[in-house]
Amino acid sequence: MVAVDPPPREAAAAPPAMKRSASFDRVPEEARRILHRLAGELWGGDVDPAALAVSQLKGAMTNEVFRITWPGGGGGEGEGEGDHRKVLVRIYGQGVEVFFDRADEVRTFECMSRHGQGPRLLGRFPNGRIEEFINARTLSAADLRDAEISSLIAKKLREFHDLDMPGPKNVSLWQRLRRWLEEARGRCSPEEARQFSLEKLGDEIAMLDIALSGVDQRVGFCHNDLQYGNIMIYEETRQVTLIDYEYASFNPVAFDIANHFCEMSADYHSATPHVLDFTKYPGIDEQRRFVQTYLSSSGENPSDAEVEHLLGLIAKYSLASHIFWGLWGIISGHVNKNIDFEYQEYARQRFDQYWKTKDQTLGSKSN
């Protein structure tokens, strides 16, 4: 059952006194009330609801994410180190609603939970939510290059793309890019607009749309943000789960894979998390192994032609990925002030890579 605070009837009660920790003050009062109640609902008298500890998780670039832990207790699921006495608090980033509809994102989150994907929703408050804490390991940048883990991701991504999600199944990519471009133009100074060549991007988006929309390709429910921090692995079972569906929508599956390949250039837990190293973009043999695993995971036996066709599409959609996240970086630099991240410099690198690779990439064959 979802735990949601009821609307106050009269004056709101003061939040319960709770143990202070380094990140405690970042958790809103409404969230603290829900946490206090959840502790009792989930673990009963086994924990002291006020004895929570709050720690901020690094690597998030859209929201602030906190792990909430209750110590101590006896048997049951919380036995031992108390790994099950944890939940996640997600505080939405400032202004990020320009990127997606929050109500749609919450519906997606709940639907994914019903499909057995990702964490359960435990509670909501005005600027965030509380989620089940998944007792699995979040991947690192290096994990994406591990052959076994990469194979697991490919299989999971095919399963994700095959999900029967409600609502329209229209491709969202091109409309989203055009909307974000207008948003970026409205927020940038003339100097910023010149720096990022925003006056040219409308034509670039139209060109890619025309070049890619007329080819034979598969559309599925795409994650659209498959960086390593949104992938978790259960070490004992070697199962992979995908989390954080804020940008998820129906799109060409080649775009989702292209975006995942681009994310192999990033390390968001380094001393310079905004810096990308595009020499780490996977080579053609690594790409081919991923695509072959992806296509064959549903029991099919893909032909060489099918593999090469998808590889060609992925190469072209990498260009769309650069524009997508370049525009995201520009807008985020203007609206999201709570996250310590060099959004503008990140955007510059994505656009530089677009212009650097455009001519060679569009010369490749996808049919």
Side-chain angles (χ1 to χ4, degrees):
M1 175 183 254
V2 175
V4 181
D5 249 0
R9 295 178 181 174
E10 297 178 7
M18 294 183 179
K19 183 179 177 181
R20 310 212 45 110
S21 59
S23 302
F24 181 89
D25 290 334
R26 292 296 306 137
V27 179
E29 291 186 1
E30 298 93 336
R32 296 179 210 170
R33 293 191 185 97
I34 300 174
L35 289 168
H36 190 272
R37 188 174 68 250
L38 274 174
E41 291 178 356
L42 296 175
W43 300 292
D46 199 34
V47 298
D48 174 4
L52 60 78
V54 182
S55 57
Q56 184 166 9
L57 303 183
K58 298 182 182 296
M61 292 168 293
T62 299
N63 307 300
E64 293 180 276
V65 182
F66 300 87
R67 181 179 59 219
I68 310 297
T69 307
W70 287 271
E77 285 190 328
E79 194 167 355
E81 296 181 358
D83 285 345
H84 291 273
R85 294 188 183 84
K86 298 175 184 177
V87 297
L88 211 67
V89 171
R90 185 179 304 276
I91 300 176
Y92 302 145
Q94 291 182 343
V96 297
E97 285 74 17
V98 303
F99 297 120
F100 47 79
D101 183 282
R102 182 63 70 182
D104 287 346
E105 188 265 335
V106 170
R107 281 192 292 271
T108 297
F109 186 98
E110 293 174 328
C111 186
M112 295 298 293
S113 181
R114 290 194 295 272
H115 278 286
Q117 305 278 341
R120 291 180 299 133
L121 178 65
L122 299 176
R124 298 184 209 165
F125 51 96
N127 64 326
R129 65 174 178 253
I130 300 171
E131 305 171 9
E132 175 188 19
F133 186 88
I134 296 180
N135 287 282
R137 179 175 68 84
T138 304
L139 296 191
S140 66
D143 285 325
L144 298 187
R145 316 314 294 264
D146 180 277
E148 181 214 359
I149 293 177
S150 181
S151 175
L152 294 173
I153 294 169
K155 294 174 183 176
K156 188 65 177 183
L157 190 56
R158 178 62 185 263
E159 177 187 326
F160 193 94
H161 289 161
D162 287 343
L163 288 173
D164 183 20
M165 299 294 287
K169 295 176 171 51
N170 302 323
V171 169
S172 69
L173 175 62
W174 309 113
Q175 181 182 9
R176 182 176 282 184
L177 287 177
R178 292 183 175 99
R179 188 174 71 249
W180 288 8
L181 176 58
E182 289 307 306
E183 189 73 35
R185 285 171 171 166
R187 294 180 181 274
C188 282
S189 67
E191 177 57 32
E192 284 179 300
R194 284 192 296 273
Q195 175 188 352
F196 291 114
S197 301
L198 294 188
E199 76 284 354
K200 299 179 181 178
L201 286 184
D203 289 341
E204 296 299 310
I205 293 168
M207 176 270 297
L208 289 174
D209 185 1
I210 292 170
L212 288 164
S213 294
V215 300
D216 179 28
Q217 60 187 318
R218 183 169 170 270
V219 172
F221 187 71
C222 292
H223 188 282
N224 297 324
D225 187 18
L226 204 61
Q227 53 118 327
Y228 66 84
N230 289 335
I231 310 170
M232 304 187 77
I233 186 168
Y234 294 89
E235 297 285 20
E236 291 186 3
T237 63
R238 307 305 286 171
Q239 289 184 316
V240 163
T241 189
L242 310 184
I243 61 172
D244 293 1
Y245 318 118
E246 289 170 316
Y247 299 93
S249 66
F250 281 90
N251 267 329
V253 300
F255 172 74
D256 218 10
I257 300 173
N259 190 67
H260 177 61
F261 287 170
C262 288
E263 288 293 347
M264 293 185 185
S265 305
D267 185 349
Y268 300 117
H269 290 80
S270 70
T272 52
H274 62 283
V275 174
L276 301 168
D277 181 0
F278 287 108
T279 65
K280 294 181 178 179
Y281 189 91
I284 189 62
D285 289 340
E286 189 174 356
Q287 293 181 48
R288 186 174 285 112
R289 283 194 299 271
F290 188 97
V291 167
Q292 287 174 329
T293 302
Y294 173 89
L295 290 174
S296 62
S297 63
S298 63
E300 302 172 9
N301 185 19
S303 66
D304 291 344
E306 289 174 308
V307 171
E308 296 306 314
H309 176 72
L310 183 51
L311 284 169
L313 288 173
I314 290 167
K316 291 178 171 61
Y317 275 110
S318 70
L319 297 173
S321 175
H322 291 317
I323 296 179
F324 187 100
W325 292 108
L327 291 172
W328 172 88
I330 293 173
I331 299 167
S332 294
H334 285 274
V335 304
N336 200 343
K337 304 299 183 182
N338 286 345
I339 307 295
D340 184 17
F341 188 78
E342 297 291 336
Y343 292 106
Q344 301 292 303
E345 176 59 20
Y346 176 86
R348 184 191 64 75
Q349 293 171 87
R350 296 304 298 251
F351 286 127
D352 284 353
Q353 190 68 7
Y354 173 83
W355 295 112
K356 179 181 178 181
T357 59
K358 172 191 168 184
D359 289 343
Q360 180 180 356
T361 300
L362 292 179
S364 63
K365 298 296 183 182
S366 65
N367 50 29

